[in-house]
Amino acid sequence: MPEQPGQPERHPLHLREGDPYGPHNLPYGVFSTADEPDRRRIGVRYGNHVLDVHTAATALGSAHSDLLAHPHLGALLAAGRPVWRAVRADIRTWLGYPAIEPFLHPLADVTLHLPFAVADYVDFYASEHHATNVGRIFRPDGEPLTPNWKHLPIGYHGRAGTIVVSGTPVVRPSGQRRAPGEEVPSFGPSQRLDIEAEVGFVVGTPSALGERVPQSAFRDHVFGVCLVNDWSARDIQAWEYVPLGPFLGKSFATSVSAWITPLEALEAAFVAPPARDRELLPYLDDSELPPAALDIRITVTLNGHTVSEPPFSSMYWTAAQQLAHLTVNGASLRTGDLFASGTVSGPRPHERGSLLELTWSGRDPLELPDGKRTFLEDGDEVTMTAWAPGPGGAVVALGEVTGRIAPAAGQAVLRGR
Amino acid sequence: MPEQPGQPERHPLHLREGDPYGPHNLPYGVFSTADEPDRRRIGVRYGNHVLDVHTAATALGSAHSDLLAHPHLGALLAAGRPVWRAVRADIRTWLGYPAIEPFLHPLADVTLHLPFAVADYVDFYASEHHATNVGRIFRPDGEPLTPNWKHLPIGYHGRAGTIVVSGTPVVRPSGQRRAPGEEVPSFGPSQRLDIEAEVGFVVGTPSALGERVPQSAFRDHVFGVCLVNDWSARDIQAWEYVPLGPFLGKSFATSVSAWITPLEALEAAFVAPPARDRELLPYLDDSELPPAALDIRITVTLNGHTVSEPPFSSMYWTAAQQLAHLTVNGASLRTGDLFASGTVSGPRPHERGSLLELTWSGRDPLELPDGKRTFLEDGDEVTMTAWAPGPGGAVVALGEVTGRIAPAAGQAVLRGR
């Protein structure tokens, strides 16, 4: 193993005390190395190393080696929960063998890729605090929540083809936006480019068309969790979204973390959801089910400065409820479906998961060491990290999602020819 | 060739006079035969036969044989316009050879499948007559069109995973709907199940993230056209769609025709779009471009009775404008992206493309020979056919899209466990 510059020599099989990427975590990703840049392989993160799991499985023997032989997680995701458990148990066993060392690559030496082909992408709107803030900002004289909000988890489909892995630059989108007081829209780069801190759920096991997936089957269908930054151009969104919802204000890019944390690593993080104000229809009622909220603590930084700490446990709707709602009309699930929570905002001001809320639509700029900020400027870098309680007091880190804003594409007039 | 029962013997290479599936049409699909039900093959429709194009290409020699060796159209779609032209020219040549006869299967003997993997599905809202009718029905005291409607083609993402091929039964969806005058929603089968007659456009050539596709590049990216029935549960949709747009009211099924008609077959069908009332931003301006509307005449039948004849040429926004809008924020295209026009409704009452409009939200039931109809009943079968002008007075038929309503899935109470 080459030593990393500036770091003390450390055996890759020995983690530092309390490493949040220990054997209790083991998230999956896809990586390549500098000497074989086109060879994408499934990797599992272990401390500051990445285990090449197919090579390890081939060398050490595994009944599931074939599932790990792909340049993406698809076959593993489709294999179902018993196999997910078996493969995870295999990997934990291997990490006890010194013979595994040749299959560990320093994290700093690899390139990480989008780990699975996204089938359908659904984005929910499940934080009461977020929805209330947005309602107050956009409709100051009306009820902040729409009448349906507490009866169903509101969601919509997003663009799967523009989901990008953490680290991909995000080009500022251009589009139509109408300035306050103007009657007609103008065209240009978004001037209200925003973030949305979210948690995403990756579907493994598909379901048949016409079949409902009850909340109790959540763990059979959902493989794991990632962080999501649902970049949003608020000015484009505001002009386009009535009556059919967000479209170009969201579809230019959605960033996801490179690591998918298996639900099995989050056993200790399940907690009770907030009390519900309304009686729910039976398919959404979870009052007699095991706790299904997740105690994931997110930190959002802008150019290295913490701007928000959204608590995922405060979400009104759980992921299990979202899955039950998504399929209650008979819509089928495919391997690789991704559904995200919607912006995570807690009850306190410093827990808000978007700049729209943090700056109250630009009225209250953030005071950062390098200047004031309302919405994102070119060159700004946003990073979201998160952790959850693990077994026996351990910490489970979720893979970070980061992205830097690149200037809008050339402003050449496109006359459609 | 086995003779079909009850039909006069006819050589498959001889079409009847004016056959709308002649050598000027040649739509692509995917089929299997009864003796090899798991072997999906690319087929081209010729009269009432299906040409097994890969077997033909192998036997007769083609530089593009590999593209046709798949169980779907993906590789052909991705190959780009010069190859689409070359393959089409090859097929037209082969149809002049008697040696091709063994590769023709009677249409009645084959099973047709979804011909391509749908990447992202976008649905537009591009008929002024439809949007005006819907606005009048839902907001009788307000302006029927939202302020943005004439400035941009409104669209949203739908569920790609529930797009099904013509002939697939459509199970009546269940979901939340709130009855008029009620405060809380109830759960049950949709009572306002509707159709939407649309035309879909299939993307072949992808585009890069951050790259705009101008209207002038429409023909380089879009391979062909299909018919779409965007089944809609109006009661579910009405309760859920504010503020983020349609979701479960649409996501249970969207039917597409089994045949994709290449744009090359529609050269004679391009006509001028309707006059625009507003000056458009440059990327949407098509005043100096060749005519980009399509003269496609749709017929909608319900249990065999014609209920509507929507004229596609009446759409306010063209598919080229929709593509330019969809990518103006830098969103990338993938091979297999499908974007649909939105409900096609013409200016006259019998040209409306949804039951919502045809019955004015149920107020004016349709009088059919087998009874009155407001929305769809179990067992109803809806079929959409269409044709367009072809070269020299020929007729180009588009593949039909048909579906029958199956009763809602069992009403067992799903208590989430």
Side-chain angles (χ1 to χ4, degrees):
Chain A
M1 282 290 114
E3 202 177 318
Q4 289 178 49
Q7 291 191 356
E9 186 174 9
R10 187 159 56 78
H11 192 285
L13 286 173
H14 288 100
L15 300 182
R16 68 177 190 277
E17 177 88 9
D19 194 305
Y21 288 102
H24 61 292
N25 190 341
L26 303 182
Y28 290 90
V30 167
F31 74 101
S32 61
T33 55
D35 52 330
E36 293 180 285
D38 294 331
R39 185 176 160 223
R40 296 190 181 192
R41 288 172 272 179
I42 298 178
V44 162
R45 182 160 174 185
Y46 182 68
N48 281 322
H49 286 76
V50 178
L51 175 66
D52 177 342
V53 283
H54 179 245
T55 308
T58 306
L60 300 173
S62 165
H64 305 292
S65 175
D66 286 357
L67 296 178
L68 304 171
H70 302 275
H72 53 73
L73 297 177
L76 177 64
L77 295 179
R81 193 176 178 196
V83 174
W84 305 337
R85 284 177 162 160
V87 171
R88 183 172 163 85
D90 280 353
I91 295 169
R92 290 177 73 142
T93 303
W94 300 338
L95 289 168
Y97 301 159
I100 206 168
E101 198 188 317
F103 313 127
L104 285 162
H105 299 259
L107 184 63
D109 291 354
V110 306
T111 300
L112 298 169
H113 305 277
L114 190 66
F116 64 101
V118 182
D120 270 303
Y121 168 48
V122 167
D123 194 22
F124 284 95
Y125 189 55
S127 160
E128 179 175 3
H129 309 293
H130 171 70
T132 303
N133 289 336
V134 170
R136 285 194 179 128
I137 290 169
F138 287 134
R139 299 179 294 274
D141 301 324
E143 282 294 318
L145 295 182
T146 50
N148 53 10
W149 203 93
K150 293 223 166 161
H151 293 281
L152 53 79
I154 292 174
Y156 68 100
H157 286 90
R159 191 161 186 82
T162 51
I163 291 179
V164 297
V165 74
S166 176
T168 306
V170 172
V171 177
R172 180 182 298 274
S174 293
Q176 292 194 25
R177 57 281 195 290
R178 190 172 65 165
E182 294 292 320
E183 180 153 352
V184 296
S186 60
F187 182 87
S190 170
Q191 291 162 3
R192 291 163 65 88
L193 185 55
D194 199 356
I195 59 168
E196 292 194 340
E198 308 197 10
V199 176
F201 293 82
V202 180
V203 171
T205 308
S207 69
L209 192 63
E211 178 186 294
R212 298 176 195 165
V213 177
Q215 293 183 67
S216 59
F218 174 75
R219 302 285 295 273
D220 297 321
H221 288 273
V222 172
F223 174 82
V225 169
C226 60
L227 289 179
V228 176
N229 186 350
D230 185 30
W231 307 95
S232 300
R234 301 295 179 198
D235 41 3
I236 295 173
Q237 184 183 350
W239 170 235
E240 75 180 356
Y241 90 107
V242 175
L244 299 185
F247 185 40
L248 301 193
K250 302 276 195 172
S251 67
F252 56 96
T254 306
S255 298
V256 297
S257 50
W259 298 109
I260 311 299
T261 306
L263 279 184
E264 256 193 288
L266 295 170
E267 294 283 2
F270 282 97
V271 293
R276 273 61 179 261
D277 303 339
R278 300 277 190 292
E279 191 178 354
L280 295 176
L281 284 164
Y283 79 96
L284 291 174
D285 182 7
D286 61 358
S287 56
E288 295 173 36
L289 292 171
L294 276 167
D295 182 13
I296 295 171
R297 328 273 178 100
I298 304 170
T299 297
V300 182
T301 66
L302 174 48
N303 299 333
H305 311 296
T306 297
V307 295
S308 180
E309 293 179 310
F312 188 59
S313 61
S314 67
M315 302 297 276
Y316 194 85
W317 298 102
T318 71
Q321 289 173 317
Q322 291 167 349
L323 190 71
H325 185 61
L326 172 54
T327 60
V328 77
N329 68 344
S332 49
L333 300 174
R334 289 184 294 171
T335 298
D337 280 349
L338 172 69
F339 63 99
S341 59
T343 308
V344 183
S345 290
R348 287 182 283 266
H350 73 278
E351 295 175 340
R352 294 168 178 165
S354 68
L355 294 173
L356 178 72
E357 295 163 86
L358 288 166
T359 71
W360 212 255
S361 196
R363 186 194 68 187
D364 307 327
L366 294 177
E367 306 278 354
L368 299 181
D370 48 354
K372 290 189 180 187
R373 200 60 98 252
T374 52
F375 293 94
L376 295 173
E377 300 184 0
D378 290 348
D380 278 354
E381 184 173 60
V382 177
T383 302
M384 299 172 185
T385 56
W387 65 274
V395 164
V396 178
L398 272 65
E400 70 170 20
V401 60
T402 188
R404 186 183 291 273
I405 304 303
Q411 283 272 49
V413 175
L414 283 166
R415 271 223 163 257
R417 69 186 76 106
Chain B
M1 284 291 113
E3 202 176 319
Q4 289 177 47
Q7 291 192 353
E9 185 174 9
R10 188 157 58 78
H11 192 287
L13 286 172
H14 287 100
L15 300 181
R16 67 176 190 278
E17 176 88 10
D19 194 304
Y21 288 102
H24 62 291
N25 190 340
L26 303 181
Y28 289 89
V30 167
F31 74 102
S32 61
T33 56
D35 53 330
E36 292 180 286
D38 294 330
R39 186 176 160 223
R40 296 190 181 192
R41 288 173 271 181
I42 297 178
V44 162
R45 183 160 173 184
Y46 183 69
N48 281 322
H49 286 76
V50 179
L51 175 66
D52 178 342
V53 283
H54 180 244
T55 308
T58 307
L60 300 173
S62 163
H64 305 291
S65 175
D66 286 355
L67 296 177
L68 304 171
H70 302 275
H72 53 72
L73 298 177
L76 176 64
L77 295 179
R81 193 176 178 194
V83 174
W84 304 339
R85 285 178 160 158
V87 172
R88 183 172 162 87
D90 279 352
I91 294 169
R92 291 177 73 143
T93 304
W94 301 338
L95 288 168
Y97 300 159
I100 206 168
E101 198 188 318
F103 312 126
L104 286 162
H105 299 261
L107 184 63
D109 291 355
V110 307
T111 300
L112 297 170
H113 304 278
L114 190 65
F116 64 101
V118 182
D120 271 303
Y121 168 47
V122 167
D123 194 23
F124 283 95
Y125 189 55
S127 160
E128 180 176 4
H129 309 293
H130 170 70
T132 302
N133 289 335
V134 170
R136 285 191 179 131
I137 289 169
F138 287 134
R139 299 179 296 272
D141 301 323
E143 282 294 319
L145 296 182
T146 49
N148 52 10
W149 204 92
K150 293 223 166 161
H151 293 281
L152 53 80
I154 292 173
Y156 68 101
H157 285 90
R159 192 162 186 80
T162 52
I163 291 179
V164 297
V165 73
S166 175
T168 306
V170 172
V171 177
R172 180 182 298 274
S174 293
Q176 292 194 26
R177 57 280 197 289
R178 189 172 67 165
E182 295 291 321
E183 180 154 352
V184 296
S186 60
F187 182 87
S190 171
Q191 291 163 3
R192 291 164 64 89
L193 185 55
D194 199 358
I195 59 169
E196 291 194 340
E198 307 196 11
V199 175
F201 293 82
V202 180
V203 171
T205 308
S207 69
L209 191 64
E211 176 186 296
R212 299 176 195 165
V213 177
Q215 293 184 65
S216 58
F218 174 75
R219 302 288 293 274
D220 296 322
H221 288 273
V222 172
F223 174 81
V225 168
C226 60
L227 289 178
V228 177
N229 186 349
D230 184 29
W231 307 94
S232 300
R234 300 295 179 198
D235 39 5
I236 296 172
Q237 183 183 351
W239 171 234
E240 75 179 357
Y241 91 105
V242 175
L244 299 185
F247 185 40
L248 301 191
K250 303 275 195 173
S251 66
F252 56 95
T254 306
S255 299
V256 297
S257 49
W259 299 108
I260 311 300
T261 305
L263 279 184
E264 256 194 287
L266 295 170
E267 294 283 3
F270 282 97
V271 293
R276 274 60 180 261
D277 303 340
R278 299 279 190 292
E279 191 178 355
L280 296 175
L281 284 164
Y283 78 97
L284 291 173
D285 182 6
D286 61 358
S287 56
E288 293 174 37
L289 292 170
L294 275 167
D295 182 12
I296 295 172
R297 330 272 177 102
I298 305 171
T299 298
V300 182
T301 67
L302 174 49
N303 299 332
H305 310 296
T306 296
V307 295
S308 181
E309 294 179 311
F312 189 60
S313 60
S314 67
M315 302 297 275
Y316 193 85
W317 298 102
T318 70
Q321 288 173 318
Q322 291 167 351
L323 190 71
H325 185 61
L326 172 54
T327 60
V328 77
N329 67 344
S332 49
L333 299 174
R334 291 183 294 170
T335 298
D337 280 349
L338 172 69
F339 62 99
S341 58
T343 307
V344 183
S345 290
R348 287 182 283 266
H350 73 278
E351 295 175 341
R352 294 168 177 166
S354 69
L355 293 172
L356 178 73
E357 296 162 87
L358 287 166
T359 71
W360 211 254
S361 195
R363 186 193 69 186
D364 307 327
L366 294 177
E367 306 277 354
L368 300 181
D370 48 354
K372 290 188 180 186
R373 201 60 99 252
T374 51
F375 292 94
L376 295 173
E377 299 184 0
D378 291 346
D380 278 354
E381 184 173 62
V382 177
T383 303
M384 299 172 185
T385 56
W387 64 275
V395 164
V396 178
L398 271 66
E400 70 170 19
V401 59
T402 187
R404 185 183 291 275
I405 305 302
Q411 283 271 48
V413 175
L414 283 168
R415 269 220 167 262
R417 68 189 75 107

